[in-house]
Each structure stands twice: as C-alpha cells, then as structure tokens.
C-alpha cells in the first residue's frame, strides 16, 4: 500500500530512516568499541526489534514489562533501571535481565544478594549534579533535589557507614542528557571523572545513559567516539550507551485528516488526531512538531492552528502556514512521530488509537496493527 493510501489516523514507521540511524550507531560501536542499547521507553515497536538487534547490543528497560518485551522480542543483552523495584518484580527481573541498575544505596542493599545469586551484573546510578540542559527542567535529572541517582556526598556517607556498599557492584550508570550533543557529554564526563573516578577504577563497566542525539545531522559523532575511547582506556571499563530517541529519530510519521475548519479570528483545523492522545510530548515538553509541506506561522499566506477533536481546549498541536488553502478531507503528515508517541498514547475521550504501519524501503506500507473499540474498553472496567 502507498503512504497516501493508509487510513487516518496512522503512525507509519519508516524502515529506511531507521536503518540510516542504526548505521550511525553501528559506526559508533565499531569505532569506539562500545555497546549501544535501545531504550525501549522511547520506542517499543517490537516488529522491528529483529532489525534493531542486527545493529545494537540489546535493550534496556524502565521496569518489568519493558524488560520482558526486550527479552522476548530481541533476546540480546537486557538491562533495566528503575528508581525503585517492587519485590515481586525483582523475582522476575533477575530471570529476564543480565544487568540491573539501582537508584539508591538502600535499593542496592535490599536486592544485592538476590542479583548476585542469579548471576546478574549490578550497577548503581550516580548523580553527577551537573546540569547541561537549559530548556526542559522536567527532563533534567540533575536539577536541585533530584531523586535520580546517588550523589557523591550520599555515596561517601553510605561507604563511611558500611565500607562494603560497593562490593559486588560491577558498574556505574549516569543519565543526565536530553536531546543533546557530545559537547554536553564531554562537560558531564569531566565531572563524573572528578567525582566518581575513584570508584570507576574498581568497576568493569560504565553506562552513560541516553539523551545522546547521535543520529541528528549536526551531532558530533567523532567527539563522542573520542570521549568513549578515553573513558575505556582511563578506567579499563566497557562502555554502554542507552539512547532511545537516536534510534528512531525522524523515522516515523503520523498521518491525519482534516475533519472541520473553525473560523474564530483564527482558522483552526480540527484533525482526527490529538496532541493529548497521540503525541503527548507536544503538550508535555512542549514543542511544535514538524509537519510535511508546512512553514512557520508568518511565512506563507494560508495560516492555520492545528488542533484536535477532543474536548480539551488546550489540545492544540501548533500554528503553521501553507502555500495552499487547506480543505476538509485533506491529509496532513506530522514528522518525527516514532519516538515517545506510540509508547505514550492513550484513548482519552474514547479517541481511537492510530493504526501502526511499517513503510518498507521500497515504499510499500504494511499494516502492523489496527486498534478498535475493544482496545479502549479493555483498559477500563
Ligand atoms: C535512564 C534512562 N536511560 C535512557 C533514556 C533514553 O533517553 P533518550 O530517549 O532521550 O535517548 C532515558 C530517558 O528518559 C532514561 O531516563
């Protein structure tokens, strides 16, 4: 089926663009000698896990369900990090995961023996307290009072109370970036070395988290490779990265249709999609998603506000302008819709979930999944 023939609303994963990203990541792995994991929180479309598994070392999870999905559908290295684990989940996780990362010394001490008995490699997430992102405070794990990762002073205190705290711990993990370039990683690494280098000397691996926008056009891949090689040599450790966005960046679309046009000083297009339901990051972050064949608000003669058919007044996707008049029945295509979209969507207002298609490299769009009333009803009681 051609892209122009898929029903709306639909997400379309672009296999060719996915492969393009994976090739960049493969180069990093080969030239830096590191391992890259898919952070499933950004993209969990397991129909392409066999493809992703051809390039990457494995998966990382935010909890039990993602860990199970990674094991079932990719079956390579399987890591997990969560701010805390429930006991029942840990019983399962030690069977599913080869690496388990803890967020606090208390969690580490609670589950250390269980992990060691199961032969799981243990990691501890540290907080370098080095903020490098200005715009998005809710995505900054280094903000003041952050619950994410053990600070140096808390770690020192814990070791003072119990010198065996790090016994059995194989790796350190940090995650501080969000859509950032390797200059910010370089800044962070300097702080990590200064604060945690003494502990890293005794570890066998370090995980530098996600947020590395490696597949973005302007990303300095050579600098990333240099940083990784330096850390590997200095501390004699294996290096992991676990990006989510970089894997499927710009590798998906959301196809929608114009249902109505409301003219109240501003022309608003009512679409059969929703920021709140189908692209929640647009409201959460917030940001204005790229839209094919559209321009900034004041650039072209035909100006529209793009909105949704939910009841939420603020369910507004953004203001755009076009070369041509938009009519009811026209189809519009949002870009960069593979990441943090399908994993976060919902059926608020009983709005249907978009179908999922995979566009093969020859342009053919294959239906992966269609959703219906039962998917809405089954989440409720
Ligand atoms: C611990 C951890 N690892 C990896 C990621 C993936 O980050 P991104 O999708 O920005 O690359 C996140 C995102 O929040 C995270 O919290």
């Amino acid at each position: 089926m051609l892209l122009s023939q898929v029903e709306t609303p639909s997400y379309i994963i672009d296999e060719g663009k996915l492969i393009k990203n994976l090739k960049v990541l493969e180069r990093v792995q080969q030239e830096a000698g590191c391992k890259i994991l898919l952070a499933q929180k950004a993209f969990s479309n397991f129909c392409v896990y066999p493809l992703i598994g051809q390039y990457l070392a494995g998966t990382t999870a935010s909890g039990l369900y993602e860990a199970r999905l990674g094991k079932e559908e990719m079956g390579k290295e399987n890591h997990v990090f969560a701010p805390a684990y429930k006991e029942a989940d840990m019983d399962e996780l030690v069977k599913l995961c080869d690496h388990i990362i803890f967020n606090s010394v208390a969690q580490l001490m609670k589950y250390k023996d269980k992990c060691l008995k199961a032969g799981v490699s243990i990691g501890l997430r540290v907080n370098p307290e080095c903020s490098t992102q200005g715009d998005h405070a809710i995505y900054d794990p280094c903000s003041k009072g952050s619950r994410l990762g053990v600070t140096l002073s808390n770690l020192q205190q814990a070791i003072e109370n119990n010198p065996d705290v790090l016994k059995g711990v194989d790796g350190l993990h940090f995650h501080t970036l969000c859509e950032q370039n390797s200059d910010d990683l370089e800044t962070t690494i300097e702080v990590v070395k200064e604060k945690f280098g003494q502990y890293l000397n005794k570890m066998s691996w370090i995980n530098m988290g996600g947020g590395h926008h490696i597949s973005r056009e302007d990303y300095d891949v050579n600098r990333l490779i240099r940083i990784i090689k330096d850390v590997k040599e200095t501390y004699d450790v294996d290096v992991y990265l676990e990006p989510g966005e970089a894997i499927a960046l710009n590798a998906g679309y959301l196809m929608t249709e114009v249902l109505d046009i409301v003219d109240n000083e501003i022309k608003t297009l009512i679409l059969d999609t929703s920021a709140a339901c189908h692209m929640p990051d647009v409201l959460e972050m917030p940001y204005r998603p790229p839209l094919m064949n559209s321009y900034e608000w004041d650039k072209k003669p035909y100006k529209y506000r793009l909105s949704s058919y939910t009841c939420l007044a603020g369910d507004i996707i953004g203001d755009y302008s076009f070369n041509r008049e938009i009519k009811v029945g026209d189809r519009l295509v949002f870009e960069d819709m593979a990441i943090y979209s399908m994993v976060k969507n919902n059926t608020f207002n009983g709005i249907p979930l978009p179908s999922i298609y995979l566009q093969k490299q020859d342009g053919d769009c294959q239906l992966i999944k269609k959703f219906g009333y039962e998917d809405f009803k089954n989440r409720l009681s």
Side-chain angles (χ1 to χ4, degrees), residues 85-353:
Y85 298 100
K86 290 164 78 82
E87 280 199 44
D89 288 359
M90 187 51 70
D91 290 338
E92 293 293 308
L93 286 169
V94 293
K95 292 183 218 147
L96 295 166
C97 296
D98 36 74
H99 291 68
I100 297 183
I101 294 134
F102 295 98
N103 185 58
S104 70
V105 170
Q107 283 270 302
L108 168 68
M109 299 317 275
K110 182 169 180 184
Y111 295 118
K112 190 192 268 190
D113 284 347
K114 190 170 276 193
C115 290
L116 290 175
K117 242 182 239 154
V120 169
S121 185
I122 297 174
L124 182 67
R125 176 166 174 173
V126 295
N127 178 354
E129 297 173 275
C130 171
S131 283
T132 51
Q133 41 179 305
D135 293 349
H136 304 121
I138 70 161
Y139 296 109
D140 184 4
C142 294
S143 60
K144 201 169 160 13
S146 169
R147 71 188 188 288
L148 298 165
V150 185
T151 59
L152 179 63
S153 63
N154 280 347
L155 183 59
Q156 284 171 333
Q157 182 70 59
I159 292 171
E160 220 174 277
N161 295 340
N162 173 4
D164 286 340
V165 158
L166 290 180
K167 210 170 155 195
V169 176
D170 296 322
L172 294 185
H173 175 289
F174 68 88
H175 168 79
T176 64
L177 306 179
C178 177
E179 301 188 343
Q180 281 163 278
N181 212 315
S182 46
D183 53 344
D184 288 328
L185 175 63
E186 194 158 47
T187 305
T188 305
I189 276 292
E190 287 313 311
V191 177
V192 169
K193 281 175 156 181
E194 194 186 305
K195 290 188 169 176
F196 298 100
Q198 51 180 320
Y199 308 112
L200 209 43
N201 270 322
K202 297 178 196 116
M203 300 288 156
S204 55
W205 54 264
I206 181 167
N207 184 325
M208 300 184 183
H212 318 274
H213 244 194
I214 304 168
S215 49
R216 199 175 71 200
E217 285 295 324
D218 69 336
Y219 188 90
D220 189 340
V221 172
N222 290 331
R223 180 170 42 205
L224 173 67
I225 292 170
R226 263 199 327 271
I227 295 168
I228 295 170
K229 279 177 146 173
D230 168 67
V231 169
K232 269 173 70 90
E233 278 162 28
T234 310
Y235 298 102
D236 191 21
V237 285
D238 291 333
V239 173
Y240 288 98
L241 302 180
E242 48 176 34
E245 293 209 3
I247 282 112
L249 192 65
N250 294 315
Y253 315 99
L254 175 55
M255 175 82 81
T256 180
E257 187 188 315
V258 179
L259 300 179
D260 197 10
I261 303 174
V262 173
D263 192 348
N264 177 17
E265 290 181 27
I266 188 166
K267 286 195 170 116
T268 299
L269 305 183
I270 311 290
L271 306 175
D272 65 352
T273 188
S274 152
C277 298
H278 302 158
M279 40 185 136
D281 270 4
V282 165
L283 301 182
E284 242 178 59
M285 221 167 168
Y287 79 103
R288 176 183 168 280
L291 180 77
M292 224 176 253
N293 301 321
S294 79
Y295 301 85
E296 296 289 318
W297 172 251
D298 51 359
K299 289 278 183 294
K300 299 288 169 186
Y302 299 98
K303 299 175 167 51
Y304 300 93
R305 172 160 293 167
L306 271 56
S307 185
S308 150
Y309 69 150
T310 67
C311 65
L312 178 69
D315 196 350
I316 289 165
I317 301 158
D319 295 344
Y320 299 80
S321 73
F322 300 82
N323 273 326
R324 62 179 179 98
E325 191 182 352
I326 303 294
K327 303 218 168 72
V328 169
D330 282 355
R331 292 151 70 91
L332 300 175
V333 185
F334 290 99
E335 297 175 290
D336 198 17
M337 277 295 154
I339 44 176
Y340 293 106
S341 54
M342 290 168 270
V343 289
K344 285 182 116 175
N345 64 14
N346 63 76
T347 56
F348 177 54
N349 274 208
I351 300 287
L353 294 171

